[in-house]
Amino acid sequence: MGEPAHCTGIVSLEMAEYAKMPDDLVLGRLSRARLVGPAGGQADHIWTAPAAESILVIDRGAFDQALARQAVEVGAVLNPGTPVTDVQVGPDSVNVQVPGGVLKARACVLACGVSYRFQRMLGLGLPGQAIHTAQTEVDSIPGDVVEMHFGRQLAPNGFAWTVPVVRAGRARLKIGVMATGNAGACLDRFLGRADVSTRMLATPPPPIRRLLPLKPIAKTFSDRVLVVGDAGGFTKPTTGGGIFYSLLTASLAAETLIEGFNAGRLDEAFLARYERRWQERLGNELRVGDWLRQLVSRCVDDEIDMLVRALASDEIRELVESTARFNWHRDLIVALARHPGIAALLFRTLFR
């Protein structure tokens, strides 16, 4: 359970509102980020104490295993490795087909990650947009800077990243790409660059590849069914991060089901409040993040580099420091869109 981990694992301490994060799950504490444009433009950001958020890299596989242990401690029964072949919603129960029989439940939460067979089967639709990712981890020289590299040739409609961590006392580097098309091929090219290869102390293992949703599915509820996390398409449109959104939507789903059990109501009309709740919390974030993604995806490399260099100015740095929050990007995006230089550049892309 929790393996293979196809997640970089960057989170903020805000996540502790929904889940415990023991120190032994932390692979690194981040204080510096660097954006790198296709023509060499750079913008650095430093999270300075005490006002800054604490940004951590956690061991995602170990985190999932810890959640599983906590669930068992409060009465959950886990059957890892048991495939589900069918989900049928009846008037009094949900029937889940597994090898050897049928499991009956009052309600079902789809938390199956990037797998949309059952959503389609139940008429809930597919994510409105998705992108491909590939990531590997390798021994490296020590580092303390998260890097995000942009460029149409490097990672179309996405970016490449390097994230330093320490695992079992050894310096390691998570290296990945999100891009339209063949993310694995993009990662291979990125690994071959001198500024990346010189930091690696071994040959990187084959990458873990996955599809990443960037928009929610059409509908996240029906009779006796709710959908959370990646299964519902809940990720940040800007970075693809999904841990916090998964925990938040799971919490809202649990709240809704508890109310449903108490009221004796698990019908679609009652469970619709789940979608209203996540829309209230995340709807504007998702829409504004998607708006920025659509505009930036139209930029050519020269414009991307101009954006990165603009972010390095003292004026924009101050704006970022006053509005940026790790899990909530709307305020920063709106502030950037109101800046004359940024607005003029993004406005030009509307006419392409």
Side-chain angles (χ1 to χ4, degrees):
M1 182 172 292
E3 299 293 343
H6 43 65
C7 173
T8 307
I10 302 179
V11 300
S12 77
L13 278 182
E14 186 180 10
M15 194 179 89
E17 179 181 346
Y18 300 103
K20 297 178 181 178
M21 286 190 295
D23 287 343
D24 60 359
L25 297 184
V26 177
L27 302 179
R29 298 178 184 272
L30 306 177
S31 60
R32 299 175 61 200
R34 175 173 298 143
L35 308 183
V36 182
Q42 290 191 10
D44 285 13
H45 179 69
I46 299 175
W47 293 290
T48 54
E53 296 181 276
S54 294
I55 311 300
L56 314 173
V57 186
I58 62 170
D59 185 327
R60 176 58 192 274
F63 175 67
D64 286 0
Q65 292 164 15
L67 289 179
R69 289 193 297 271
Q70 293 169 29
V72 170
E73 288 171 2
V74 296
V77 176
L78 302 183
N79 293 290
T82 302
V84 174
T85 58
D86 194 14
V87 175
Q88 296 288 335
V89 179
D92 302 313
S93 67
V94 179
N95 301 321
V96 179
Q97 182 70 51
V98 297
V102 175
L103 303 177
K104 290 183 176 292
R106 294 170 66 189
C108 175
V109 176
L110 293 181
C112 45
V114 187
S115 175
Y116 299 101
R117 173 187 174 190
F118 301 118
Q119 292 88 322
R120 182 183 300 169
M121 182 186 301
L122 296 169
L124 301 176
L126 300 174
Q129 186 178 354
I131 199 166
H132 295 275
T133 69
Q135 179 176 267
T136 189
E137 182 179 314
V138 63
D139 287 340
S140 68
I141 61 175
D144 64 351
V145 181
V146 175
E147 293 183 358
M148 300 171 67
H149 295 253
F150 300 88
R152 302 290 300 177
Q153 299 302 313
L154 171 66
N157 298 325
F159 59 91
W161 64 85
T162 64
V163 177
V165 298
V166 176
R167 192 185 295 275
R170 291 163 31 214
R172 305 270 288 176
L173 196 64
K174 291 177 177 284
I175 309 171
V177 168
M178 58 182 290
T180 53
N182 190 338
C186 293
L187 178 60
D188 287 342
R189 291 193 293 271
F190 186 56
L191 291 170
R193 287 176 27 165
D195 60 328
V196 178
S197 62
T198 54
R199 284 183 272 173
M200 299 188 299
L201 299 181
T203 300
I208 296 173
R209 306 183 188 209
R210 63 170 292 200
L211 191 68
L212 181 73
L214 293 175
K215 283 186 178 181
I217 62 176
K219 187 179 176 187
T220 57
F221 66 97
S222 69
D223 288 336
R224 300 184 178 272
V225 175
L226 297 177
V227 193
V228 303
D230 283 7
F234 294 109
T235 65
K236 300 171 190 173
T238 48
T239 65
I243 297 177
F244 181 76
Y245 283 8
S246 291
L247 293 171
L248 173 58
T249 54
S251 176
L252 296 176
E255 178 184 338
T256 302
L257 287 175
I258 289 170
E259 293 173 353
F261 291 146
N262 290 336
R265 291 280 307 276
L266 294 171
D267 55 279
E268 180 174 303
F270 189 92
L271 297 185
R273 62 182 62 190
Y274 164 67
E275 187 153 310
R276 291 195 295 270
R277 284 170 172 160
W278 72 250
Q279 283 283 4
E280 289 173 1
R281 296 292 302 275
L282 297 176
N284 284 337
E285 291 288 326
L286 295 170
R287 284 186 286 273
V288 172
D290 180 62
W291 172 81
L292 179 66
R293 163 171 280 281
Q294 298 305 319
L295 290 182
V296 173
S297 68
R298 300 181 184 188
C299 290
V300 298
D301 276 356
D302 285 348
E303 292 167 333
I304 294 173
D305 208 70
M306 289 172 61
L307 281 172
V308 171
R309 293 179 189 275
L311 293 172
S313 70
D314 291 340
E315 181 181 3
I316 299 296
R317 284 176 189 270
E318 292 177 3
L319 188 151
V320 171
E321 290 177 5
S322 65
T323 59
R325 296 171 60 198
F326 184 78
N327 290 315
W328 309 98
H329 298 169
R330 176 186 175 276
D331 290 349
L332 173 60
I333 294 170
V334 170
L336 289 173
R338 289 173 175 166
H339 184 274
I342 302 291
L345 196 157
L346 293 177
F347 184 73
R348 290 203 301 265
T349 69
L350 293 173
F351 299 96
R352 295 204 177 113

